[in-house]
């Protein structure tokens, strides 16, 4: 079991103080609270969809941008009315933000870069303090308390294989994941996931329609602690989970036209 369980999103996060572009109350009032389905084009709706809520300001979402599929997340977040900032170096952590997205990519490279850049411990502290976070694929691996599986080490010498195998990540989410566990031949595939009843992956308007899932050399969630609950399942197995203000998915929500997982995350931010 990981040493740190629970979490929660209570209260404004220190990192969010002073951050974020303001938006006017009129456009905030236009935010379609019950809207679902495919994202709309950026900008046209982005103004009108400026995050509702008492503060009437756009959520500022930091996207880890050291490696991997961060551009796609940024685009989707902006379509959903967020302002995005990229985290590329430790000094970027001083920019104000309300939530954090950890994109897919290569978790070994990402964890090494985070350590080398001096970002690993500060990010862990922010998440432990309750900063809402969405981790996808490699991002899930970075969050996982326990990581199994080495990935594909064929053709690597011993030293490189050892380096590649190690994911020394944030370890804030009480799950065990096995990397690349869906196998090489099924390295990438599409499927339809089921929202878990009783809230599932979303707001009350999330509905029951299957969730499109895109997997790319995805990790499998093989064990969960008691504070973790599944949001989305595939063949009865959890493929997205939540623990406090941490939401993590084995798939890539940025690649499908379904906003429900983002909305689940953004509900924690607002
Ligand atoms: N297989 C990658 C890893 O182990 C994750 C793949 C992804 O993020 N799409 O880090």
């Amino acid at each position: 079991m990981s040493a740190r369980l629970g979490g929660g999103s209570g209260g404004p996060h220190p990192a969010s103080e002073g951050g974020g572009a303001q938006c006017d109350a009129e456009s905030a009032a236009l935010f379609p609270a019950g809207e679902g389905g495919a994202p709309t084009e950026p900008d046209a709706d982005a103004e009108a969809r400026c995050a509702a809520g008492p503060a009437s300001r756009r959520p500022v979402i930091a996207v880890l941008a050291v490696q991997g599929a961060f551009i796609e997340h940024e685009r989707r977040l902006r379509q959903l009315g967020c302002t995005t900032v990229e985290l590329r170096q430790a000094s970027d952590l001083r920019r104000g933000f309300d939530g954090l997205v950890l994109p897919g990519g290569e978790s070994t490279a990402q964890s090494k870069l985070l350590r080398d850049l001096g970002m690993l411990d500060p990010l862990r502290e922010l998440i432990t303090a309750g900063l809402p976070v969405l981790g996808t694929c490699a991002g899930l691996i970075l969050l996982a308390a326990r990581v199994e599986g080495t990935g594909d080490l064929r053709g690597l010498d011993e030293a490189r294989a050892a380096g590649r195998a190690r994911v020394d990540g944030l370890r804030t989410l009480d799950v065990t994941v096995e990397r690349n566990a869906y196998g090489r031949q099924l390295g990438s595939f599409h499927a339809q996931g089921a929202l878990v009843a009783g809230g599932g992956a979303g707001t009350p308007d999330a509905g029951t329609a299957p969730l499109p899932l895109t997997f790319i050399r995805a990790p499998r969630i093989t064990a969960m602690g008691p504070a973790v609950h599944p949001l989305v399942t595939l063949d009865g197995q959890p493929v997205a989970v939540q623990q406090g203000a941490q939401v993590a998915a084995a798939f890539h929500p940025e690649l499908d036209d379904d906003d429900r997982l983002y909305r689940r995350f953004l509900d924690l931010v607002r």
Side-chain angles (χ1 to χ4, degrees), residues 67-69 103-110 136-142 147 149-151 164 167 178-181 187 214-219 250-252 254:
Q67 192 270 338
E106 191 58 39
S107 56
T108 46
Q110 291 183 0
T136 62
C137 203
L140 160 64
I141 299 170
L142 282 187
V147 179
T150 56
R164 278 277 298 277
V167 179
E178 189 180 350
R179 294 177 60 211
N180 305 312
T214 297
F215 293 89
I216 303 172
R217 302 192 67 211
F251 54 91
H252 285 258
E254 77 278 14

Side-chain angles (χ1 to χ4, degrees), residues 230-257:
L231 297 175
V232 181
T233 60
L234 176 63
D235 300 330
Q237 300 300 309
V239 290
V241 297
Q242 182 172 352
Q243 175 187 342
Q246 300 180 72
V247 173
F251 54 91
H252 285 258
E254 77 278 14
L255 297 181
D256 284 297
D257 284 347

Side-chain angles (χ1 to χ4, degrees), residues 152-270:
D152 186 356
L153 303 180
R154 283 176 293 186
L156 300 182
D157 64 33
E158 214 167 301
R160 286 194 67 206
R164 278 277 298 277
R166 198 166 47 242
V167 179
D168 194 5
L170 296 159
R171 301 193 306 271
T172 52
L173 182 69
D174 189 14
V175 298
T176 306
V177 296
E178 189 180 350
R179 294 177 60 211
N180 305 312
Y182 289 100
R184 289 289 287 168
Q185 69 282 23
L186 291 176
S188 301
F189 64 99
H190 296 278
Q192 299 286 320
L195 299 191
V196 175
T203 52
D205 63 310
T208 55
L211 195 77
L213 310 174
T214 297
F215 293 89
I216 303 172
R217 302 192 67 211
R220 189 188 293 274
I221 299 168
T222 56
M224 307 189 297
V228 183
H229 61 271
L231 297 175
V232 181
T233 60
L234 176 63
D235 300 330
Q237 300 300 309
V239 290
V241 297
Q242 182 172 352
Q243 175 187 342
Q246 300 180 72
V247 173
F251 54 91
H252 285 258
E254 77 278 14
L255 297 181
D256 284 297
D257 284 347
D258 193 305
D259 292 337
R260 285 175 287 177
L261 199 74
Y262 282 105
R263 289 176 182 279
R264 177 69 169 205
F265 162 62
L266 292 174
D267 280 349
L268 298 166
V269 171
R270 284 162 185 156

